[in-house]
Amino acid sequence: KKRSSDMSIPLPWAATTPVKFILFGDSITQQSFGDSDGSGWGSLLASRYVRRADVINRGFSGYNTKWALQLLRSVDDSCFPRSPALVTIFFGANDAQVPEVGNIQHISLEKYETGLRSIVSFFQQLNAKHIILITPPPVNEDDWLACLREIQGNDSALKVDRRNEVTEQYAKKCKEIAADLNLSCVDLWKILDSKPDNFSDGLHFSPKACKLLYEELARIIDEKMPDLAVRGDKINSDSTSELLPLGPWWDQIRDAETTFGNKKQRTE
């Protein structure tokens, strides 16, 4: 079935299509919708933009910038819709793997820069309206080492493969790229530290860290992207935005036929 082109819904809700947000990154993005409690930073963003934007999770656990770029060049075009209103790009935690400990995911700082710039270019060619880079975060080295040893059979000889002194260099490079390309950037080294309560295992985020990242994203959007800004916390007519919601808010409906039109026809 398809909807008839002759529809008598005169109000703007009828012509509204939610814009697209794409979250592209590694496991911290893949896990950004969190558990059923909605505590992930992607879930929080999706809740803020409910009916105004479709938030698409394109997180790929374990990926570095090299693999991410190869993926972008190989998947069907429909996997990454054109003209997204917002794209977040969040890589570096795996690129910064310490090479002398584990080199499967490690990407040199020079190649990380090249790869990250190429990823930005890919989304620019998709006509992304806004792009936000997110730096790789600090880690809690002790907790991450304990996690690795638990996964690999409590091997006491195992060494930690993520170090803050290394990851920080990738974070600085990410910020430099953002500044050079005139892009917004979330500097996780400013809003997070390496304390255990920011992580679930020393590397991946706790609900606390997810909330901090979400709040920083919301702040950047509201301050620098007025076309995407949302004012007000309630998900009803108390919140305002240039992005029209799909359908009127419930508290704006007085008479259903007047609001939606009374000749919503469908044809075979």
Side-chain angles (χ1 to χ4, degrees):
K1 293 182 178 182
K2 64 179 181 178
R3 196 174 291 181
S4 169
S5 59
D6 179 22
M7 296 181 60
S8 56
I9 307 179
L11 298 179
W13 328 113
T16 298
T17 299
V19 299
K20 301 291 190 283
F21 290 1
I22 299 175
L23 313 183
F24 187 47
D26 52 34
S27 56
I28 305 177
T29 297
Q30 181 172 309
Q31 297 176 12
S32 69
F33 278 28
D35 298 321
S36 58
D37 60 2
S39 62
W41 60 271
S43 295
L44 293 169
L45 192 67
S47 179
R48 178 180 177 84
Y49 283 93
V50 66
R51 289 167 52 183
R52 289 187 168 113
D54 293 334
V55 180
I56 302 170
N57 187 325
R58 291 291 182 265
F60 297 86
S61 180
Y63 276 48
N64 53 36
T65 49
K66 178 181 178 180
W67 299 346
L69 190 58
Q70 290 173 328
L71 174 91
L72 290 176
R73 290 169 174 169
S74 63
V75 297
D76 187 85
D77 291 347
S78 63
C79 295
F80 291 88
R82 295 192 64 81
S83 303
L86 175 68
V87 177
T88 63
I89 301 174
F90 188 1
F91 286 98
N94 296 316
D95 301 70
Q97 183 184 46
V98 180
E100 57 267 26
V101 178
N103 60 9
I104 295 175
Q105 296 164 301
H106 171 76
I107 296 293
S108 70
L109 190 59
E110 180 181 359
K111 290 183 178 179
Y112 169 72
E113 176 178 6
T114 301
L116 192 56
R117 287 180 181 273
S118 296
I119 291 170
V120 170
S121 177
F122 175 90
F123 286 105
Q124 288 174 331
Q125 292 175 38
L126 282 186
N127 297 318
K129 191 167 187 181
H130 300 286
I131 296 174
I132 300 177
L133 298 188
I134 304 175
T135 70
V139 298
N140 183 285
E141 296 179 17
D142 291 339
D143 284 358
W144 180 237
L145 177 58
C147 178
L148 291 177
R149 287 178 173 171
E150 181 178 353
I151 292 171
Q152 300 186 33
N154 293 313
D155 182 357
S156 60
L158 194 68
K159 295 181 180 179
V160 69
D161 65 350
R162 303 292 195 281
R163 296 197 191 113
N164 283 315
E165 62 187 45
V166 176
T167 303
E168 188 174 16
Q169 299 306 309
Y170 288 74
K172 289 179 178 178
K173 183 59 65 177
C174 181
K175 289 193 296 179
E176 290 174 7
I177 294 168
D180 183 52
L181 298 178
N182 196 29
L183 300 176
S184 296
C185 183
V186 174
D187 183 0
L188 288 175
W189 288 73
K190 281 189 174 181
I191 64 174
L192 294 180
D193 54 36
S194 59
K195 292 180 180 178
D197 62 350
N198 281 322
F199 306 96
S200 61
D201 56 11
L203 177 64
H204 301 96
F205 285 3
S206 67
K208 175 189 173 184
C210 284
K211 187 171 186 290
L212 291 171
L213 172 52
Y214 158 72
E215 290 174 343
E216 182 65 5
L217 283 170
R219 182 193 68 79
I220 289 174
I221 293 169
D222 284 349
E223 291 182 3
K224 298 184 177 182
M225 305 167 191
D227 56 311
L228 302 182
V230 174
R231 308 297 180 186
D233 295 329
K234 294 182 179 179
I235 306 175
N236 56 31
S237 60
D238 289 338
S239 68
T240 60
S241 174
E242 291 184 20
L243 297 174
L244 289 175
L246 177 62
W249 301 117
W250 70 269
D251 55 352
Q252 295 174 323
I253 300 173
R254 295 295 176 265
D255 177 78
E257 289 188 355
T258 301
T259 301
F260 297 106
N262 56 12
K263 292 183 179 179
K264 189 176 183 182
Q265 300 177 352
R266 294 175 184 267
T267 58
E268 296 296 332

